[in-house]
Amino acid sequence: MNIRAIMKNAYLSLRQNTRRSLLTMTGIIIGISSVITILSLGRGFEAYTVKNLTDSNDKNVRVDISFEPTNISQFQNNKMHFFSDEDLNFVRQVEGVEKVEYDKQDQSISNIDIFVRNKKTTKSLGFSKLEKDPIILGRKITHLDEDNHQKVVLITEDTAKDINQDINKVLGSGLDLKGKLYQIIGIYAGGKSEVFDMTPDIKVPKGTYQYYENAQDNPSQIKITVADNFKPSNISQKVIKKLENIGSSRNFGQYTTFDMTVLTDGIGKVLKILTYFVSSIAGISLFIAGVGVMNMMYTSVSERTKEIGVRRSVGARRVDIRTQFLAEGLMLTVSGGLIGYILGYLVALTISLVLPFKVFPDFLTIILTITITVVIGLLFSITPANMAAKKDLVEILR
């Protein structure tokens, strides 16, 4: 019996019990559509998250090298620079470095040593947004404060509690910043860090700070553009090694780097594992659907005993009977799986319309759908098919 004839007979047999076949397929459709919906949404969210972490206006990959001083006061008091022009020339000599420059974006937030209850502690210092800072106590820094170079400062609630548990008593007191006394006029919530966004512990008017500190640009970070065909992590390690050997500040701290690819790979793996885990839970319904397929096949074998006898009497072999029932089980599950895939994808697509990311057909999920349905068809049809093939011809015709 050729494949075409087997598939035709399988279709005709399932059509004879259309209602039962459709009800059995429903379990497969629900199980597959649930898994595909979760997988599609999960993979869409994974791609969206990773894209947002790595999205950049630059066409080339960029790595950042930072310098962390052992004693920040030493640099502040002696007007020392974290990186020098000579350091940048050294970095340019590293193979794979296409461009290197100072990263002055980090000047919005820096570290500063202050004394709290006669104990030195390091806090992050940033510039006020002037009248836009959300205050929970006191008042905001105004444009007038900045224009007149008023020594006023805002601090976080946690910093205020370090000074005095009763934060109301902190207002109006002084705070020593690099030997200059600033008046605390407001307290804000702060203390919440997010990816790439950290609220500083202390905020001062930018104009006031630069006026009294005679602040010069002193970036603690440089940005390197990596040439094509070079691995960013390898380039960053080479640059750090060179700076550790001949960098101008090598004896006063350490050079570090943040590899975004490691972060995105890690987040991607976690999201992928979570997606597969939730999908596996939804996939339990497939096992139940498989039991339904087996039950239907057992019923079909019992009802078609005479048909099996007739086929055996006209020359059909045991393997032909087994193949026939296996084909029916596979046609049932694969058809249900394909319908389930389409339904699941449409559901995911509909849900994604109200989400910030979109889902797209995934070749992996198509292969997964076909594989799962074939395995279910074989696994839950093989026993009924064997039972049909092993029926004794004499017993059937008696």
Side-chain angles (χ1 to χ4, degrees):
M1 185 178 288
N2 59 40
I3 295 178
R4 184 176 180 181
I6 291 173
M7 299 307 294
K8 182 178 179 181
N9 288 335
Y11 170 74
L12 292 175
S13 298
L14 293 175
R15 190 174 178 181
Q16 288 178 358
N17 297 283
T18 304
R19 183 176 299 175
R20 186 169 63 188
S21 299
L22 290 176
L23 289 174
T24 305
M25 284 175 59
T26 300
I28 300 293
I29 293 172
I30 293 174
I32 290 294
S33 61
S34 300
V35 173
I36 296 304
T37 299
I38 295 172
L39 277 176
S40 298
L41 291 174
R43 292 177 72 84
F45 178 68
E46 174 191 340
Y48 171 77
T49 303
V50 172
K51 180 179 181 297
N52 276 304
L53 287 173
T54 57
D55 195 17
S56 173
N57 293 326
D58 298 329
K59 294 182 179 180
N60 298 83
V61 178
R62 200 192 87 178
V63 295
D64 297 326
I65 305 295
S66 302
F67 179 75
E68 296 180 359
T70 305
N71 186 352
I72 186 68
S73 300
Q74 184 176 17
F75 282 80
Q76 293 170 344
N77 297 333
N78 298 324
K79 304 293 183 182
M80 295 174 60
H81 286 75
F82 299 113
F83 291 96
S84 66
D85 293 340
E86 190 176 19
D87 290 335
L88 268 62
N89 289 329
F90 291 146
V91 173
R92 291 188 184 97
Q93 297 172 10
V94 176
E95 185 182 6
V97 173
E98 185 172 287
K99 182 181 178 183
V100 59
E101 58 187 339
Y102 293 110
D103 188 355
K104 298 182 180 181
Q105 294 178 355
D106 64 338
Q107 292 303 294
S108 59
I109 298 178
S110 60
N111 292 327
I112 187 172
D113 291 334
I114 65 172
F115 283 89
V116 177
R117 298 179 184 179
N118 297 323
K119 184 178 179 181
K120 186 171 74 171
T121 182
T122 301
K123 296 289 184 178
S124 56
L125 175 70
F127 298 130
S128 170
K129 295 181 180 179
L130 301 181
E131 301 180 3
K132 294 182 180 180
D133 295 307
I135 300 298
I136 61 175
L137 194 63
R139 71 173 180 86
K140 302 177 181 179
I141 295 176
T142 66
H143 289 280
L144 188 62
D145 291 324
E146 181 164 34
D147 293 339
N148 294 329
H149 304 306
Q150 295 295 317
K151 295 179 183 177
V152 291
V153 65
L154 306 177
I155 61 175
T156 62
E157 186 177 7
D158 289 340
T159 304
K161 288 180 178 179
D162 289 341
I163 299 173
N164 193 318
Q165 285 298 316
D166 186 357
I167 60 175
N168 289 283
K169 295 181 179 180
V170 176
L171 284 177
S173 60
L175 184 65
D176 188 336
L177 300 180
K178 299 184 180 180
K180 296 176 179 62
L181 196 63
Y182 285 72
Q183 183 184 25
I184 300 173
I185 62 169
I187 298 173
Y188 56 98
K192 294 182 179 179
S193 297
E194 299 178 357
V195 180
F196 313 120
D197 181 26
M198 183 177 67
T199 303
D201 301 308
I202 302 169
K203 291 183 180 181
V204 295
K206 185 175 182 180
T208 301
Y209 183 79
Q210 293 179 336
Y211 177 80
Y212 288 106
E213 298 298 325
N214 191 22
Q216 300 178 357
D217 289 337
N218 187 15
S220 62
Q221 185 169 288
I222 59 174
K223 55 183 179 181
I224 299 170
T225 303
V226 181
D228 293 339
N229 302 321
F230 284 90
K231 191 175 181 181
S233 57
N234 291 341
I235 298 301
S236 61
Q237 292 306 316
K238 288 181 180 179
V239 170
I240 288 178
K241 188 174 181 180
K242 188 154 193 172
L243 289 173
E244 287 174 343
N245 291 330
I246 57 177
S248 58
S249 302
R250 63 187 182 279
N251 297 322
F252 306 101
Q254 62 178 353
Y255 298 96
T256 61
T257 184
F258 179 74
D259 194 344
M260 179 62 75
T261 58
V262 175
L263 174 65
T264 53
D265 288 346
I267 292 177
K269 288 179 182 178
V270 171
L271 291 176
K272 192 172 293 183
I273 291 173
L274 286 174
T275 300
Y276 288 145
F277 175 72
V278 177
S279 299
S280 65
I281 295 176
I284 294 176
S285 60
L286 288 173
F287 179 81
I288 300 173
V291 174
V293 172
M294 179 179 283
N295 180 62
M296 176 184 168
M297 295 305 297
Y298 271 122
T299 303
S300 181
V301 170
S302 299
E303 292 177 347
R304 294 160 61 187
T305 301
K306 290 185 179 179
E307 177 189 331
I308 294 171
V310 171
R311 290 192 177 191
R312 289 291 308 280
S313 64
V314 296
R317 300 169 299 171
R318 292 181 184 272
V319 66
D320 295 327
I321 302 299
R322 182 184 297 108
T323 302
Q324 182 62 49
F325 281 95
L326 283 176
E328 292 178 18
L330 285 173
M331 181 172 287
L332 196 69
T333 55
V334 173
S335 299
L338 293 177
I339 295 173
Y341 176 84
I342 296 172
L343 180 62
Y345 174 70
L346 291 176
V347 171
L349 187 62
T350 302
I351 295 175
S352 70
L353 294 177
V354 297
L355 297 175
F357 60 88
K358 303 298 180 183
V359 296
F360 301 95
D362 188 355
F363 181 74
L364 176 63
T365 56
I366 296 176
I367 297 299
L368 186 64
T369 299
I370 296 174
T371 302
I372 289 176
T373 52
V374 169
V375 170
I376 291 175
L378 291 174
L379 186 64
F380 290 95
S381 300
I382 188 68
T383 304
N386 283 332
M387 186 181 76
K390 290 179 181 179
K391 282 184 176 294
D392 185 69
L393 180 59
V394 176
E395 283 293 323
I396 295 173
L397 298 177
R398 183 177 292 176

Short mmCIF file of all heavy atoms in Angstrom, two decimals, residues 3 74 121 124 180 184 230 331 376:
data_model
loop_
_atom_site.label_atom_id
_atom_site.label_comp_id
_atom_site.label_asym_id
_atom_site.label_seq_id
_atom_site.Cartn_x
_atom_site.Cartn_y
_atom_site.Cartn_z
N ILE A 3 1.86 5.41 0.09
CA ILE A 3 1.58 6.46 1.08
C ILE A 3 0.28 7.20 0.73
O ILE A 3 -0.52 7.53 1.61
CB ILE A 3 2.76 7.45 1.15
CG1 ILE A 3 4.00 6.72 1.68
CG2 ILE A 3 2.41 8.63 2.04
CD1 ILE A 3 5.23 7.58 1.74
N GLN A 74 41.69 62.61 46.76
CA GLN A 74 43.03 62.87 46.23
C GLN A 74 42.95 63.54 44.86
O GLN A 74 43.72 64.45 44.55
CB GLN A 74 43.80 61.56 46.13
CG GLN A 74 45.24 61.71 45.68
CD GLN A 74 45.97 60.38 45.69
OE1 GLN A 74 45.35 59.32 45.71
NE2 GLN A 74 47.29 60.43 45.69
N THR A 121 31.81 59.32 54.50
CA THR A 121 31.03 58.43 53.65
C THR A 121 31.01 58.99 52.23
O THR A 121 31.14 60.20 52.03
CB THR A 121 29.59 58.28 54.18
OG1 THR A 121 28.87 57.37 53.35
CG2 THR A 121 28.86 59.60 54.20
N SER A 124 26.76 60.14 46.01
CA SER A 124 26.75 60.58 44.60
C SER A 124 26.21 61.99 44.53
O SER A 124 25.21 62.33 45.18
CB SER A 124 25.89 59.63 43.76
OG SER A 124 24.58 59.53 44.26
N LYS A 180 33.34 73.59 51.53
CA LYS A 180 32.42 74.73 51.42
C LYS A 180 31.08 74.33 52.00
O LYS A 180 30.59 73.22 51.74
CB LYS A 180 32.29 75.18 49.97
CG LYS A 180 33.60 75.71 49.41
CD LYS A 180 33.47 76.06 47.96
CE LYS A 180 34.79 76.62 47.42
NZ LYS A 180 35.90 75.65 47.51
N ILE A 184 21.09 72.97 53.45
CA ILE A 184 20.10 71.99 53.00
C ILE A 184 18.73 72.66 53.02
O ILE A 184 18.21 73.03 54.08
CB ILE A 184 20.10 70.75 53.92
CG1 ILE A 184 21.48 70.09 53.93
CG2 ILE A 184 19.03 69.76 53.47
CD1 ILE A 184 21.63 68.97 54.93
N PHE A 230 35.89 42.81 15.06
CA PHE A 230 36.60 42.67 16.33
C PHE A 230 35.57 42.47 17.44
O PHE A 230 34.53 43.12 17.43
CB PHE A 230 37.47 43.89 16.62
CG PHE A 230 38.74 43.94 15.82
CD1 PHE A 230 38.77 44.58 14.59
CD2 PHE A 230 39.90 43.34 16.30
CE1 PHE A 230 39.94 44.63 13.84
CE2 PHE A 230 41.07 43.38 15.56
CZ PHE A 230 41.10 44.02 14.33
N MET A 331 -2.52 11.90 11.29
CA MET A 331 -3.33 12.89 10.57
C MET A 331 -4.18 13.70 11.56
O MET A 331 -4.33 14.92 11.40
CB MET A 331 -4.25 12.17 9.56
CG MET A 331 -5.11 13.14 8.75
SD MET A 331 -6.01 12.31 7.42
CE MET A 331 -4.69 12.00 6.27
N ILE A 376 3.31 13.12 19.54
CA ILE A 376 2.05 12.76 20.22
C ILE A 376 1.29 11.73 19.40
O ILE A 376 0.75 10.75 19.94
CB ILE A 376 1.19 14.02 20.44
CG1 ILE A 376 1.83 14.93 21.48
CG2 ILE A 376 -0.22 13.63 20.89
CD1 ILE A 376 1.10 16.25 21.67
#
